[in-house]
Amino acid sequence: MNPVAGKTKTEDRCSQLRCIGCGAIADHADQDFRCRNCRDLFEIIYPGWSGAAGAKASRVDGASLKQMWLKRKSSLLPSDTSGVWRFREMLPGLKPGTDPITLREGNTPLYDLPGCARAAGVNALLAKHQGMNPTASFKDTGMTVAASFARQEGFRWVACASTGNTSASMAAYAARGGLRSLVLIPEGKISWGKLSQSLDYGAVTCQLRTDFDGCVKVLSEVVKRMPVYLLNSVNPYRLEGQKTAAIELLEQLGWETPDHIIVPGGNLGNSSALGKALREMKDLGLSARLPKLSVIQAEGANPFVRSIREHGGKTLTPVEAETFATAIRIGNPASWKKALRVVDATAGTVEQVSEVEIALAKAEIGADGVGCEPASAVTLAGLKKLVKQGFVKAGETIVLILTGHGLKDPEFTLKFHRGDLFQGTKHENDAQLLAPHQLAPIVLDASVDAVLRTLEQFDHPAAER
Ligand code: F0G
């Protein structure tokens, strides 16, 4: 491993790093991406945009940007076919002549979920499916930007701690960009699908005998000692890429702002990123108003919900996280202060949902023919609660952000349908309500009659689901 300068730099003149704690402005971030003065996180700002006058005076003009972004859809250039770099005026710039590392991320569909809308008691429901990215999670939209900056800065190694999706994504982008990658994951606590992705893409994959938060701790020491580029979401370049999902969403909605956007919360990078884009779009006149952005956590991994409910968002006490939605099994979320700002600024809220509520919501999303991984399903489970509380009204425009693909965690789905997901757990009794949604595979002799008898059994009104 060749040492390189242990710093990362914003090369372009349009963006700067600003500490969210003390407001310090920096050209360089140390490898841990924390402010030297106060240890808080950085965000990327674009000084030329500030204020309405600034926006007008800068190169950024709302109407022509929208036109240009649309026009790029007919281009064949990699940076235009990427659903992230297509919006590059909203991103920190790479050095002239530098190609981004791209797998044509973004460009994800917006689906309607009629069955889920009925289940939640709303007139209509939309889902932006970020699981339809190249490595099947929303992480790709951030990784294309941050990995490109890692390569531009001359790093040979990139690294992350992960519950499985960041690592899959990082490993893929590192491989595409000719970089080596180091993955730290909690042993036995991520899905096989995600683990197999990181192996396939050639990452050095370490399963540590700890949880996600323990992996983060170890990695934060590793980056101090070796010239590896940190690709967790404390890296503000990741969040810049991830924010483009909100831009793409508004474009898909004809630049009409929805009333609600509902996001799963783990390390809280994604809610921070989407909220940043929503605020920037409003400041730049690309959108007329802010939607309410609400964050949903699993009951067993709910430090953000507790921070807001118990401490008014003033402090966050880490929890020992436990949930079958392993992607969001996180007790000490790095970006909680950024996410709090978003919830406050958009007048959103937070909610928590039980394991059984998550499993039911995942089945309901699947029954609409869309499918997602368990962590994504917290959005529908949370929406149901927000509707009951009156926070979301039946006639409002609501968008769920589905963060991961259904095939990310097939073990969860199989156990669900076989009826043994909650066997021997404290949720066993509550889980009985899931029975009507379970459809286990049926083992039969290879006989036509056996198949026809099965078909007849199901082709009966009583069996209609
Ligand atoms: N949904 C999925 C599918 C995820 O993988 C994650 C986070 C989240 C939601 C939560 O997003 O952390 O930005 O609040 N996964 C990370 C990982 C932590 O390592 O893959 P967040």
Side-chain angles (χ1 to χ4, degrees):
M1 199 184 289
N2 277 338
V4 297
K7 292 171 188 279
T8 65
K9 192 167 185 245
T10 43
E11 284 292 339
D12 65 310
R13 269 160 276 113
C14 304
S15 67
Q16 285 179 332
L17 297 167
R18 180 173 66 194
C19 171
I20 62 160
C22 68
I25 301 285
D27 278 345
H28 295 91
D30 292 335
Q31 272 171 246
D32 61 0
F33 286 103
R34 290 203 174 260
C35 172
R36 281 188 187 174
N37 301 334
C38 71
R39 308 298 301 149
D40 224 322
L41 298 180
F42 285 114
E43 62 183 346
I44 289 177
I45 56 161
Y46 302 87
W49 298 358
S50 53
K56 254 194 214 145
S58 78
R59 67 202 160 108
V60 185
D61 163 71
S64 39
L65 274 181
K66 288 177 188 176
Q67 280 218 322
M68 180 163 57
W69 292 337
L70 212 53
K71 207 166 143 221
R72 283 182 187 152
K73 282 192 159 189
S74 57
S75 157
L76 298 175
L77 289 175
S79 54
D80 291 342
T81 50
S82 161
V84 169
W85 294 100
R86 187 161 71 83
F87 301 108
R88 53 189 169 272
E89 288 71 21
M90 303 289 279
L91 298 174
L94 290 164
K95 283 180 194 161
T98 307
D99 290 327
I101 306 170
T102 173
L103 286 160
R104 316 300 187 267
E105 51 291 315
N107 301 310
T108 58
L110 186 64
Y111 295 125
D112 64 323
L113 299 178
C116 295
R118 278 193 297 279
V122 294
N123 301 351
L125 181 57
L126 296 169
K128 173 104 176 123
H129 206 328
Q130 293 296 93
M132 306 300 269
N133 267 292
T135 76
S137 87
F138 71 100
K139 306 289 181 178
D140 296 341
T141 53
M143 210 52 78
T144 181
V145 176
S148 298
F149 274 89
R151 186 169 70 176
Q152 174 170 286
E153 297 305 322
F155 282 86
R156 287 186 53 223
W157 280 84
V158 293
C160 72
S162 181
T163 56
N165 279 327
T166 301
S167 45
S169 180
M170 178 189 76
Y173 281 83
R176 293 296 296 179
L179 302 166
R180 300 297 316 274
S181 62
L182 171 72
V183 161
L184 302 188
I185 45 173
E187 204 230 338
K189 292 176 188 129
I190 78 163
S191 79
W192 291 118
K194 297 174 190 176
L195 173 60
S196 67
Q197 283 182 292
S198 109
L199 301 177
D200 215 19
Y201 302 132
V204 175
T205 305
C206 304
Q207 296 179 273
L208 304 191
R209 290 185 203 94
T210 178
D211 54 12
F212 169 80
D213 302 293
C215 291
V216 169
K217 263 192 208 144
V218 172
L219 186 59
S220 63
E221 288 305 312
V222 171
V223 297
K224 283 185 199 155
R225 299 195 202 176
M226 297 294 274
V228 294
Y229 187 85
L230 182 62
L231 278 176
N232 277 98
S233 55
V234 293
N235 180 324
Y237 295 92
R238 278 255 328 264
L239 300 196
E240 289 306 288
Q242 279 175 216
K243 82 181 183 186
T244 59
I247 309 174
E248 190 178 77
L249 169 65
L250 257 65
E251 185 186 60
Q252 286 166 315
L253 292 170
W255 299 101
E256 289 290 326
T257 309
D259 297 303
H260 294 275
I261 296 181
I262 302 187
V263 188
N267 217 13
L268 297 171
N270 203 29
S271 29
S272 306
L274 298 173
K276 185 172 191 282
L278 294 169
R279 293 173 73 176
E280 288 175 351
M281 284 190 285
K282 180 158 176 292
D283 288 349
L284 291 171
L286 291 163
S287 66
R289 62 191 177 97
L290 289 173
K292 294 188 171 80
L293 188 144
S294 297
V295 179
I296 316 295
Q297 294 199 297
E299 271 175 13
N302 62 353
F304 189 51
V305 175
R306 292 182 63 170
S307 161
I308 290 179
R309 290 190 181 163
E310 294 167 21
H311 307 289
K314 289 196 174 63
T315 57
L316 180 135
T317 310
V319 303
E320 188 110 345
E322 196 51 80
T323 170
F324 284 150
T326 51
I328 50 172
R329 194 174 178 278
I330 294 172
N332 189 14
S335 293
W336 72 273
K337 286 185 194 164
K338 289 185 179 178
L340 179 69
R341 281 193 322 195
V342 168
V343 171
D344 282 349
T346 67
T349 189
V350 291
E351 192 45 89
Q352 58 183 356
V353 291
S354 74
E355 294 295 296
V356 173
E357 287 167 338
I358 297 171
L360 174 60
K362 180 172 139 45
E364 287 167 338
I365 295 167
D368 262 333
V370 171
C372 64
E373 68 167 284
S376 308
V378 301
T379 53
L380 176 60
L383 170 66
K384 291 179 191 170
K385 289 191 157 173
L386 299 184
V387 171
K388 282 205 183 102
Q389 293 158 13
F391 184 79
V392 176
K393 313 271 182 310
E396 290 184 310
T397 316
I398 311 150
V399 182
L400 307 182
I401 305 295
L402 301 182
T403 44
H405 197 279
L407 289 177
K408 280 284 191 176
D409 194 354
E411 201 181 341
F412 181 102
T413 312
L414 280 175
K415 282 185 173 167
F416 174 90
H417 285 287
R418 288 185 177 138
D420 49 11
L421 185 60
F422 294 110
Q423 224 169 49
T425 73
K426 61 180 179 184
H427 310 293
E428 211 165 344
N429 277 346
D430 294 347
Q432 284 169 11
L433 68 92
L434 300 174
H437 300 268
Q438 288 161 345
L439 196 60
I442 304 157
V443 181
L444 298 174
D445 287 332
S447 119
V448 175
D449 278 352
V451 174
L452 289 177
R453 266 200 307 276
T454 306
L455 193 56
E456 273 162 22
Q457 242 179 332
F458 280 87
D459 191 25
H460 186 275
E464 293 279 323
R465 296 195 307 149

